[in-house]
Amino acid sequence: MISLQGTLSVYNPLTRLTMFESGPDHATGSVVFIGGLLDGYHALPYLPYLSKALADQLGFSLIQVMLTSSHMGYGSSSLQEDVRELDVLFTFLREERAKTRLFIVGHSTGCQDAISYAIYGEHRAAIQGIVLQGPVSDREFMASSIDMYGKYLRLAQRMINDGKGQELMVREVDIAPVTAYRFNSLASVGGDDDMFSSDIPFEKMQALFGQVKTPLVMVHSGKDEYVPDHINKVQLVSQLTAACPSSLGAAVLPDADHAISDQASQVRFCEVVVQFLRQVLEQVDQFERSQQESFHELTL
């Protein structure tokens, strides 16, 4: 059973969206966790370990965020809407909670949110680092696991062409109500959510990830059940890492599934996150010291 003590706060009074913060009271450094499809609070088994590691080793808190797209809401939302809601969250964290050191950990489809925020977010310059845990292709998984994938994709595209992209598709398509736009975004080649597919040409990967200026690290699971067997995982990890100029590397947890369910892999994941944050924080501190020294020399 996942159990965490913390504080539940409303960060968006207009929509009553909330965040859950665990760890030190009044921490100025925080990691914002963004879950994947169907996720909500306490969705991943490693969160208690991550919260403790951040608190004990860095004095950071862990913030889980509720978005309109959380739980069953993803089908009627979009990455663009998530970015707008994250803008409100980061405004709240910086202005109301005096946060000065902010990082993002994205899980699964939350990795698309993290990349989207790094490119389009209002506060993207304030995000000091990003961890992508389980960045996988929704499209490739859907194509390999949904019997009527082709039929549903053609239906979604026909609805979009008819100006009905924001209307819901037939009930049988998904467990959650889903618009034609969001199904196409997740399932089509070049859809807004199509960022981590193995068949994306390297030049297109570079065009996308080249827009990311925030330091990041990707953490892949060696036994990820959402990566089809025919995909060369080693090659995919290498391509994704090489396509992103701001990448500080990648880690592979050989025994981990998509959610990192085994404890040994959870411990290793937390080690990777803490090590990455320390590396980025050291670089930031060095830069700030050099700026201060340069200013001091100019005033002499």
Side-chain angles (χ1 to χ4, degrees):
M1 178 180 294
I2 300 176
S3 177
L4 276 171
Q5 291 187 339
T7 302
L8 184 68
S9 304
V10 174
Y11 71 86
N12 190 333
L14 294 178
T15 57
R16 309 304 293 172
L17 289 170
T18 60
M19 52 166 259
F20 180 81
E21 183 172 16
S22 56
D25 293 335
H26 311 297
T28 57
S30 296
V31 169
V32 174
F33 174 81
I34 306 172
L37 304 186
L38 294 174
D39 288 341
Y41 289 140
H42 299 4
L44 279 297
Y46 60 73
L47 290 175
Y49 296 98
L50 180 59
S51 181
K52 188 176 189 305
L54 293 172
D56 292 349
Q57 301 183 50
L58 297 171
F60 272 47
S61 68
L62 175 66
I63 294 173
Q64 301 177 55
V65 59
M66 190 69 67
L67 302 171
T68 300
S69 60
S70 300
H71 295 301
M72 299 281 277
Y74 66 86
S76 55
S77 191
S78 65
L79 296 178
Q80 295 82 359
E81 181 63 24
D82 289 347
V83 167
R84 287 190 288 268
E85 292 177 355
L86 289 168
D87 279 340
V88 178
L89 171 70
F90 286 117
T91 297
F92 175 81
L93 293 177
R94 299 180 73 194
E95 296 181 0
E96 303 296 329
R97 293 295 173 86
K99 304 289 187 183
T100 58
R101 301 290 172 105
L102 289 165
F103 291 78
I104 291 174
V105 171
H107 162 72
S108 195
T109 307
C111 294
Q112 283 106 276
D113 277 332
I115 293 298
S116 296
Y117 200 82
I119 297 173
Y120 303 110
E122 178 183 343
H123 299 279
R124 59 188 180 276
I127 307 303
Q128 295 182 316
I130 294 171
V131 178
L132 304 180
Q133 185 271 304
V136 299
S137 169
D138 290 290
R139 169 169 65 84
E140 290 179 325
F141 174 72
M142 293 167 75
S144 66
S145 63
I146 300 177
D147 291 337
M148 306 295 284
Y149 166 79
K151 172 187 173 182
Y152 296 149
L153 182 57
R154 289 190 295 272
L155 172 61
Q157 293 174 343
R158 185 164 63 248
M159 290 174 65
I160 292 170
N161 292 335
D162 291 342
K164 300 178 180 180
Q166 294 305 317
E167 293 190 15
L168 296 176
M169 298 180 68
V170 293
R171 187 67 184 87
E172 68 189 59
V173 170
D174 197 9
I175 187 174
V178 60
T179 65
Y181 160 77
R182 191 64 198 268
F183 188 89
N184 185 72
S185 177
L186 291 164
S188 70
V189 174
D192 289 342
D193 279 275
D194 191 23
M195 299 182 186
F196 304 108
S197 297
S198 63
D199 59 357
I200 297 175
F202 186 69
E203 294 75 16
K204 289 190 175 181
M205 283 188 181
Q206 286 181 308
L208 172 65
F209 292 111
Q211 300 176 73
V212 177
K213 309 304 180 185
T214 309
L216 66 79
V217 64
M218 299 187 190
V219 184
H220 303 265
S221 294
K223 297 180 180 178
D224 197 318
E225 66 273 24
Y226 288 93
V227 179
D229 292 337
H230 70 273
I231 292 175
N232 186 325
K233 295 180 182 179
V234 174
Q235 182 178 348
L236 177 59
V237 171
S238 177
Q239 283 185 319
L240 289 171
T241 305
C244 185
S246 67
S247 173
L248 299 186
V252 177
L253 308 177
D255 297 321
D257 60 10
H258 190 60
I260 313 184
S261 300
D262 68 292
Q263 189 170 351
S265 297
Q266 292 171 9
V267 171
R268 177 58 186 147
F269 172 67
C270 293
E271 292 173 347
V272 171
V273 174
V274 170
Q275 181 181 3
F276 169 71
L277 264 63
R278 280 182 172 152
Q279 182 178 357
V280 172
L281 291 171
E282 288 174 3
Q283 292 175 350
V284 171
D285 289 342
Q286 289 174 1
F287 176 77
E288 291 177 348
R289 284 196 298 268
S290 66
Q291 292 292 96
Q292 292 172 356
E293 290 171 358
S294 298
F295 178 77
H296 179 68
E297 291 173 1
L298 289 173
T299 57
L300 290 178

